[in-house]
Amino acid sequence: MAFIDEIKNRARADKKTIVLPESMDRRVLEAAATALKEDIANIILIGSDEEIAKNGEGLDLSKAVTVDPATSPDTQSYVDLFVELRKAKGLTEEEARKLILEDYMFLACLMVKAGKADGVVSGACHSTANTLRPALQIVKTKPGTKLVSAFFVMVVPNCDLGENGTFVFGDCGLNQNPNPEELAAIAVSSAESFKALVGAEPKVALLSHSSKGSAKHADVDKVAEATKIAKEMAPQFKIDGELQADASMVPSVGASKAPGSDVAGSANVLIFPDLDAGNIGYKLVERLAKAEAYGPMTQGIAKPINDLSRGCKAEDIVGVIAITAVQAQLN
């Protein structure tokens, strides 16, 4: 069974409530209609009835719950909660109300914080910063989290590498130039995400332009040090580096460039050394290999709050809704 079909089945088995704050985007409403039709989640749409009707013309959104912050009787309770959460930062009631009315992501996160929803999917028409800032202010990080990071689930058709063509790529959406400790934290979190979502044993490769000292550079040293730290952090996982991309995935190349490695040639979790490499890498695989790219999913926030690529299609959003619902089951 395809990865996303299995995820949808898991989502249906214990249905969660997911908030979609971008009712101004037709793709989001198309995804909402599909998610409801496929019964993978309960959906809350934030926006006015008029806005949703206009942008969702021709779509069956009758099973969605719609919340208009301008008229909802619950808005004041969310304003009060917001002020309480941010009083140490000096947030006033007037400022809280303005943010809730003007930026629906704040209300979406407050719904999750209040226990009225289980997760949020946003980012189709907003930047990652605009998606994650409210999440970090309101939902906050998971206890014990060293770093909030982002990953993609990549499903490559007709591919026998990775886990039958399924990979986790990290960090492709959030941390610009992680230091060794941060890169190690990304590697461990990504391994945990792979195990939770794919259900197979993660084999984590920290990528570089060098394999096992074949090149000398400070960038190579960073990845080698991150590998050492990650192994110490999570001895239960198979983690290795630094490895070139082909050495990490292709058995013959892995055997040649990293003999004796329990990851080289079979990696299914690829950790990129910085955001440039990660973002370029996932987009090349998505466009050239026609891969399904689900994300950027976040890891390290107390509840599942997930971002989207602004170039996403409606079907991509459906997939992220299903993954978010499964993350909420595991939360």
Side-chain angles (χ1 to χ4, degrees):
M1 181 180 292
F3 164 77
I4 200 60
D5 293 331
E6 177 61 29
I7 287 289
K8 288 178 179 180
N9 284 340
R10 290 169 64 182
R12 290 185 193 100
D14 180 15
K15 209 157 55 161
K16 297 299 180 181
T17 298
I18 307 301
V19 188
L20 305 178
E22 294 177 309
S23 57
M24 67 293 294
D25 193 299
R26 172 76 180 187
R27 294 169 299 169
V28 172
L29 297 182
E30 289 174 354
T34 300
L36 291 166
K37 181 180 180 180
E38 296 185 359
D39 202 32
I40 59 176
N42 300 313
I43 298 294
I44 297 175
L45 297 171
I46 301 179
S48 68
D49 291 339
E50 294 78 15
E51 179 180 44
I52 292 170
K54 176 184 175 183
N55 295 328
E57 185 177 0
L59 300 174
D60 182 4
L61 297 168
S62 58
K63 293 182 180 178
V65 172
T66 60
V67 176
D68 183 351
T71 60
S72 172
D74 297 323
T75 296
Q76 183 60 50
S77 67
Y78 290 121
V79 170
D80 295 341
L81 174 60
F82 199 5
V83 171
E84 175 64 24
L85 290 170
R86 301 291 290 173
K87 63 183 178 183
K89 299 294 184 181
L91 183 70
T92 67
E93 182 174 335
E94 181 181 357
E95 290 168 339
R97 186 179 300 278
K98 186 173 188 291
L99 285 169
I100 287 171
L101 291 177
E102 294 181 358
D103 188 338
Y104 295 165
M105 187 61 188
F106 283 97
L107 178 55
C109 291
L110 286 163
M111 287 179 167
V112 171
K113 187 70 174 181
K116 303 297 184 183
D118 302 299
V120 181
V121 174
S122 186
C125 54
H126 291 88
S127 70
T128 294
N130 287 340
T131 297
L132 294 184
R133 189 183 304 111
L136 294 173
Q137 289 181 5
I138 294 166
V139 182
K140 304 187 185 302
T141 57
K142 189 180 297 183
T145 293
K146 294 181 181 294
L147 181 74
V148 173
S149 58
F151 69 95
F152 276 82
V153 177
M154 305 294 297
V155 183
V156 185
N158 305 313
C159 177
D160 58 0
L161 303 179
E163 184 62 28
N164 298 316
T166 299
F167 298 83
V168 158
F169 284 13
D171 179 336
C172 304
L174 188 54
N175 292 284
Q176 183 68 49
N177 190 17
N179 62 34
E181 291 77 15
E182 292 168 335
L183 195 58
I186 292 166
V188 174
S189 291
S190 298
E192 292 169 344
S193 293
F194 183 91
K195 186 174 182 180
L197 293 173
V198 181
E201 180 186 24
K203 296 180 181 179
V204 184
L206 283 84
L207 301 181
S208 171
H209 69 278
S210 168
S211 289
K212 297 297 184 179
S214 64
K216 305 297 182 186
H217 192 277
D219 289 347
V220 176
D221 296 340
K222 179 182 87 166
V223 177
E225 178 64 17
T227 302
K228 179 182 176 183
I229 296 169
K231 287 182 175 182
E232 293 171 352
M233 286 174 60
Q236 71 274 25
F237 293 135
K238 291 181 178 178
I239 300 173
D240 204 5
E242 84 283 5
L243 291 169
Q244 292 164 298
D246 57 352
S248 75
M249 293 181 291
V250 182
S252 60
V253 180
S256 171
K257 293 186 175 183
S261 171
D262 57 359
V263 170
S266 61
N268 48 32
V269 178
L270 305 184
I271 305 302
F272 293 84
D274 58 40
L275 189 58
D276 285 337
N279 187 272
I280 292 166
Y282 103 76
K283 287 183 176 176
L284 283 173
V285 173
E286 179 185 20
R287 300 299 178 176
L288 298 183
K290 310 297 184 185
E292 299 166 21
Y294 300 104
M297 319 293 293
T298 59
Q299 45 197 9
I301 298 177
K303 298 288 184 179
I305 312 290
N306 285 318
D307 194 14
L308 295 164
S309 168
R310 278 174 284 177
C312 65
K313 303 180 289 293
E315 64 196 74
D316 300 329
I317 304 173
V318 175
V320 174
I321 291 170
I323 293 171
T324 306
V326 171
Q327 286 180 313
Q329 294 172 356
L330 301 170
N331 200 268

Coordinates of all heavy atoms in Angstrom, one line a residue, residues 1 17 65 84 128 159 171 181 205:
M1 N 0.8 -1.2 0.0 CA 0.0 0.0 0.0 C 0.9 1.3 0.0 O 1.9 1.3 0.7 CB -0.9 0.0 1.2 CG -1.9 1.2 1.3 SD -2.9 1.1 2.8 CE -3.9 -0.3 2.4
T17 N -9.3 16.5 14.8 CA -9.8 17.8 14.3 C -8.6 18.7 13.9 O -7.7 19.0 14.7 CB -10.6 18.5 15.3 OG1 -11.8 17.7 15.6 CG2 -11.1 19.9 14.8
V65 N -16.7 22.7 10.0 CA -17.1 23.8 11.0 C -16.4 25.0 10.6 O -15.2 25.1 10.3 CB -16.7 23.4 12.4 CG1 -16.9 24.5 13.4 CG2 -17.4 22.1 12.8
E84 N -3.3 36.1 28.5 CA -2.8 35.3 29.7 C -1.4 34.7 29.3 O -0.5 34.7 30.0 CB -3.7 34.2 30.1 CG -3.2 33.3 31.2 CD -3.0 34.0 32.5 OE1 -3.5 35.1 32.8 OE2 -2.1 33.5 33.3
T128 N 6.8 30.6 6.0 CA 7.1 29.7 7.1 C 7.1 30.5 8.4 O 6.6 30.1 9.4 CB 8.4 28.9 6.9 OG1 8.2 28.1 5.8 CG2 8.8 28.2 8.1
C159 N 10.8 3.6 -7.3 CA 12.2 3.7 -6.7 C 12.4 2.6 -5.7 O 11.5 2.4 -4.8 CB 12.3 5.1 -6.1 SG 13.9 5.3 -5.2
D171 N 16.9 19.2 7.4 CA 15.8 20.2 7.6 C 15.7 20.9 6.3 O 16.7 21.6 5.9 CB 16.1 21.1 8.8 CG 15.1 22.1 9.1 OD1 14.4 22.5 8.1 OD2 15.0 22.6 10.2
E181 N 25.6 20.7 17.0 CA 24.6 20.3 18.0 C 23.2 20.3 17.4 O 22.3 19.4 17.6 CB 24.7 21.1 19.3 CG 25.9 20.9 20.1 CD 27.2 21.6 19.5 OE1 27.0 22.4 18.6 OE2 28.3 21.2 19.9
A205 N 21.4 9.2 7.4 CA 22.7 9.7 6.8 C 22.8 11.2 6.9 O 21.9 11.9 6.4 CB 22.8 9.2 5.3

